[in-house]
Amino acid sequence: MMKRRVVLTFPPEVVERPVISLMIRDYDVITNILRAEVTEGEVGRMLVELEGDGGNVKNGVQYLKDQGVTVEEAIKDIDLNDTICTSCGVCTAVCLTGALTVGPPDFKLTLDKDRCILCGSCVDACPFRLIKVRF
Amino acid sequence: MAKSYEEINEKIKKGRAVVLTAEEMTELVKSEGAGEAAGKVDVVTTGTFGPMCSSGAFVNFGHSDPPIKMHRLWLNDVPVCADVAAVDAYIGAAAISDSEGLAYGGGHIIQDLIEGKRIKLKSTAIATDCYPRKEIETEVALSDLNQAYLFNPRNAYENYASATNSSEKTIYTYMGILLPNYGNITYCSAGQLNPLLNDPDYRTIGIGTRIFLGGGTGYVAWAGTQHNPEVERNDNGVPVGPSGSLALIGDMKTMDSKFIRGARFHRYGVTLYVGIGIPIPILDEDMAVRTGISDEDIETYIFDYSEPSRARNRLKKVNYRELRSGKVELKGRMVKTAPLSSFKMSREIAGILKQRILEGAFTVSRPVEELPRDGGLNTLEERRGER
């Protein structure tokens, strides 16, 4: 068994086709959708974990590519608008990996991207909606 | 050696006043003692920047022609109370949008107005002989308004409760997102920088006190709603949990949206982050002792917010040094703590106020009336058939 976390980019013409569904059916890949931004007629993005027999995952990924989907290894990408961030610290309450912290000496909110797992909890928590997660 | 308000203001005007922030004063009192500090220091500045739902703004739009006596009123689709004279209104910070729900509300309108943005106005009315108009739709900006002033019924709480969640599901509260099984603890106080905690007997902060409000100048208008000085106090003379509060007033046209920010708490609602700074004149040694207080000396209780009752379970007493460390021991394990108010901004506000006083642009004011030092809280009882 192997597990890969990948970012899928769907061109607008592919968004409307059930490619994930067909990959699961035809290649027996366990698929866990972690985040998705999919709107008909627009470029779609999806963060997924693919799990299964090594050959199946590889063939499934190849199938997605053949369908016009761009497959990239998941890249950690979180954006904090720190020019207007107040460093209130509300987001740190839900950051379980300690990527977001406020503390001495200056109590300025800091984001350690290496510790971020892109769970997106902080996106909801920020009272000013200054955090965006992209994948 | 006692000092009067007049003596302190004379020194401020001559540029000779010694002004410290509450944090600097704490260090000085620790190293040299309250007696020495009282002799040296004239004013201590405090600051806080946190979510304060009990806030809002009175506005006057001026009259249209033909005129209207506004009955129902929306600003950017947020319902606003127009039940005062024809074109007066009160924008409640916690009002929520008819179209966007919890994502946008009164707090955001206040911020947008301060930023000079145009706001959509829609109103309907019952026509009268003197106000014949039944509806109006237009756009307004802050500069169009005759008056626009914040009038916040309850701000600058002297201390506050701390929150956690014992249940098995995440809960969404005004204390932020509380994770299941005591997954986190949130708290909301500027602690050693908080205004009333530096004057817990309300000797110098009272009705009429001039303050920093949202970047401009404001005043203490009244004791805040739920002002409740009769709560448990610790050995340092400060309340353990929410107690005193202030009703504040100030001209929105002098404010800066850096210090007044609309906000939303996920699945809870809209609020307003308010920046407040209050100068405390060091009249005597007692005031030096009071302003010498540190986070370690200020305590609060952690409550279990999973119980939606006014009688929540009280779990543990902690001080703000522990809370601000990022972890507190609870139920045998270390639990992550997180603030709701910005300590960084609180410190910045205390620093700005200090600078304004040093420049002679801001003086201290003797309260016109003192705040009540007694009186508790009533509760809402449900009664029937007693008309």
Side-chain angles (χ1 to χ4, degrees):
Chain A
M1 294 286 277
M2 72 170 291
K3 199 189 249 186
R4 274 174 78 184
R5 187 179 272 211
V6 293
V7 174
L8 309 179
T9 304
F10 301 79
E13 64 276 15
V14 181
V15 161
E16 289 158 41
R17 300 209 303 262
V19 288
I20 295 289
S21 212
L22 293 171
M23 177 192 70
I24 294 167
R25 194 191 68 187
D26 293 345
Y27 297 93
D28 192 22
V29 177
I30 299 166
T31 306
N32 185 12
I33 301 174
L34 300 170
R35 292 188 73 84
E37 282 173 7
V38 177
T39 308
E40 200 176 338
E42 289 177 27
V43 173
R45 302 261 282 169
M46 193 179 277
L47 176 67
V48 289
E49 246 173 17
L50 305 176
E51 195 176 348
D53 171 20
N56 286 354
V57 171
K58 193 179 163 201
N59 293 337
V61 166
Q62 189 55 49
Y63 164 77
L64 292 174
K65 287 179 180 170
D66 292 344
Q67 297 301 308
V69 178
T70 306
V71 182
E72 300 160 281
E73 295 305 315
I75 298 167
K76 292 182 178 182
D77 193 2
I78 175 170
D79 268 351
L80 165 70
N81 184 343
D82 61 4
T83 52
I84 53 173
C85 169
T86 67
S87 295
C88 64
V90 175
C91 58
T92 66
V94 295
C95 184
L96 299 176
T97 61
L100 288 159
T101 50
V102 277
D106 60 2
F107 288 88
K108 183 175 165 26
L109 182 77
T110 56
L111 165 61
D112 179 354
K113 285 195 180 192
D114 290 338
R115 303 186 78 158
C116 174
I117 55 160
L118 294 173
C119 69
S121 300
C122 55
V123 176
D124 290 337
C126 175
F128 308 104
R129 295 198 284 176
L130 301 177
I131 306 174
K132 303 266 184 277
V133 173
R134 286 190 308 219
F135 47 82
Chain B
M1 188 187 73
K3 276 176 282 191
S4 69
Y5 285 88
E6 291 74 18
E7 284 166 344
I8 292 171
N9 281 337
E10 201 53 39
K11 283 171 110 177
I12 293 173
K13 280 175 193 153
K14 286 180 178 156
R16 280 199 233 129
V18 175
V19 186
L20 297 186
T21 68
E23 286 187 288
E24 292 165 343
M25 184 64 166
T26 299
E27 290 305 310
L28 184 71
V29 170
K30 209 177 275 176
S31 63
E32 298 190 15
E36 280 291 308
K40 282 184 182 169
V41 179
D42 299 302
V43 185
V44 167
T45 59
T46 61
T48 183
F49 182 80
M52 305 187 198
C53 294
S54 198
S55 297
F58 278 108
V59 290
N60 175 282
F61 300 108
H63 287 284
S64 59
D65 199 13
I68 184 169
K69 180 163 77 79
M70 294 176 176
H71 173 49
R72 300 268 185 248
L73 172 64
W74 295 263
L75 295 176
N76 281 355
D77 227 14
V78 176
V80 166
C81 174
D83 295 325
V84 268
V87 290
D88 282 344
Y90 185 76
I91 307 166
I96 57 166
S97 162
D98 279 354
S99 54
E100 292 180 58
L102 300 181
Y104 185 88
H108 299 101
I109 293 171
I110 290 168
Q111 178 184 341
D112 285 348
L113 281 169
I114 289 169
E115 288 178 350
K117 290 181 184 155
R118 277 192 169 187
I119 305 289
K120 282 186 188 148
L121 178 155
K122 183 184 160 196
S123 180
T124 57
I126 295 163
T128 69
D129 290 340
C130 49
Y131 292 106
R133 196 159 187 154
K134 286 185 176 166
E135 57 186 12
I136 188 166
E137 276 192 52
T138 183
E139 290 189 353
V140 292
L142 186 63
S143 58
D144 300 320
L145 305 179
N146 287 315
Q147 284 77 26
Y149 50 91
L150 287 192
F151 197 149
N152 303 343
R154 179 166 77 253
N155 279 181
Y157 238 133
E158 182 182 12
N159 209 341
Y160 207 74
S162 180
T164 191
N165 170 18
S166 71
S167 79
E168 286 176 6
K169 59 176 193 196
T170 298
I171 56 172
Y172 301 87
T173 74
Y174 65 84
M175 292 298 286
I177 300 175
L178 298 173
L179 302 173
N181 306 313
Y182 308 105
N184 57 6
I185 295 166
T186 59
Y187 63 97
C188 189
S189 176
Q192 62 194 10
L193 278 164
N194 172 284
L196 288 173
L197 285 171
N198 278 277
D199 184 9
D201 294 330
Y202 319 136
R203 287 187 60 205
T204 71
I205 301 175
I207 294 165
T209 299
R210 185 185 298 112
I211 63 167
F212 170 108
L213 181 60
T217 299
Y219 300 87
V220 175
W222 205 253
T225 54
Q226 293 180 25
H227 176 73
N228 178 21
E230 283 188 2
V231 300
E232 172 195 347
R233 288 180 183 245
N234 68 11
D235 294 343
N236 305 304
V238 291
V240 185
S243 53
S245 78
L246 301 172
L248 303 179
I249 192 164
D251 186 357
M252 273 168 69
K253 297 194 182 194
T254 67
M255 292 182 188
D256 176 346
S257 68
K258 181 176 178 188
F259 303 105
I260 286 279
R261 295 276 291 271
R264 72 96 179 83
F265 277 72
H266 188 58
R267 292 172 66 176
Y268 173 75
V270 174
T271 187
L272 188 68
Y273 269 69
V274 182
I276 299 160
I278 304 188
I280 297 178
I282 304 304
L283 302 172
D284 51 29
E285 188 174 333
D286 174 61
M287 289 314 300
V289 171
R290 298 311 195 173
T291 52
I293 200 157
S294 71
D295 275 348
E296 214 170 345
D297 307 320
I298 307 166
E299 296 164 296
T300 191
Y301 287 103
I302 302 170
F303 285 86
D304 182 0
Y305 271 60
S306 69
E307 181 69 27
S309 159
R310 72 180 178 220
R312 292 188 180 101
N313 198 10
R314 205 167 79 174
L315 301 173
K316 190 183 180 177
K317 195 194 264 187
V318 280
N319 70 47
Y320 279 93
R321 188 178 164 188
E322 296 171 290
L323 286 169
R324 239 179 274 291
S325 76
K327 277 191 176 112
V328 161
E329 190 275 325
L330 185 68
K331 302 274 175 190
R333 63 188 181 98
M334 296 308 283
V335 178
K336 170 198 275 289
T337 60
L340 305 181
S341 60
S342 170
F343 197 68
K344 177 176 169 279
M345 291 281 289
S346 303
R347 195 180 259 172
E348 190 175 333
I349 289 167
I352 293 169
L353 183 55
K354 171 182 168 175
Q355 201 53 40
R356 287 185 188 176
I357 296 170
L358 288 173
E359 287 164 3
F362 201 109
T363 55
V364 294
S365 47
R366 185 196 302 273
V368 179
E369 295 280 356
E370 291 180 346
L371 296 171
R373 293 198 190 92
D374 53 15
L377 276 187
N378 295 330
T379 51
L380 180 60
E381 300 308 322
E382 293 172 63
R383 301 184 181 104
R384 284 172 209 280
E386 290 178 32
R387 304 192 79 153

